[in-house]
Each structure stands twice: as C-alpha cells, then as structure tokens.
Amino acid sequence: MGIVSGLLLLPLAPVRGTAWIADHLLQEARRQFHDPRAVQARLAALNRALDEGAIDEAAFEREEERLLALLERPTRPTGRTTTTDRARRRHL
C-alpha cells in the first residue's frame, strides 16, 4: 500500500479492524460449535432434559438428530497445522 492510498484509506481503518475482529469471532464460534466434545456435552444435557421431563420425546428426537449430524459431518481443514499433523507428515 502506497503512502497516498494509505492516507486516503485511513478513515476506513476502524471499519476494517471491526470486520477483521468479527471474522475471527465467527471462525472461533464455528470451531466451538462443531467441536465434538461440545456436541457430546449438548447430547448429554439433552438426555438429562428428557429424563427430567423438561422436553418431550419429539423435541428430543429432532435435536438429537441435529446433534448427531454435527458429529458425523467431517471437519473442514482450517489451514492451520497442529503438532500432530506435522509429526504425522514426518512419518509418511
């Protein structure tokens, strides 16, 4: 970015910063939402709610199907490599 374009776009810096933060928050929320441990915890809470009578059988089945579909859905790669990914590649 040149000096002139940098000066002209300076008033938009807060907007770009806010968009960057919003994007990162969305990525983290999606990661946590699809985390298998979190989905399993929601399944356990759902079973407790059914046992306690807080929800009916139909609502339980709908939510259980949705949560099981989340568990079965393959995770998308984030582009980040973990230590185990690097170790696995070394051994190939």
Side-chain angles (χ1 to χ4, degrees):
M1 182 183 308
I3 209 160
V4 173
S5 61
L7 288 173
L8 291 174
L9 295 175
L10 189 60
L12 296 177
V15 174
R16 289 194 316 251
T18 302
W20 180 83
I21 290 171
D23 182 52
H24 282 281
L25 287 174
L26 179 62
Q27 288 175 7
E28 180 63 18
R30 283 183 178 154
R31 187 192 63 75
Q32 289 180 11
F33 182 75
H34 293 288
D35 181 26
R37 290 174 293 187
V39 175
Q40 290 168 351
R42 290 194 304 248
L43 276 170
L46 185 65
N47 280 313
R48 280 192 305 275
L50 179 66
D51 292 342
E52 295 168 356
I55 60 172
D56 62 355
E57 188 74 29
F60 172 81
E61 288 178 5
R62 281 192 308 270
E63 185 64 13
E64 182 186 42
E65 283 181 31
R66 189 182 70 80
L67 291 172
L68 290 175
L70 282 175
L71 279 177
E72 292 171 357
R73 186 176 305 152
T75 57
R76 286 178 284 155
T78 60
R80 300 179 189 148
T81 58
T82 62
T83 327
T84 55
D85 291 338
R86 284 185 226 120
R88 194 176 298 133
R89 286 186 197 138
R90 260 194 309 247
H91 293 290
L92 291 178

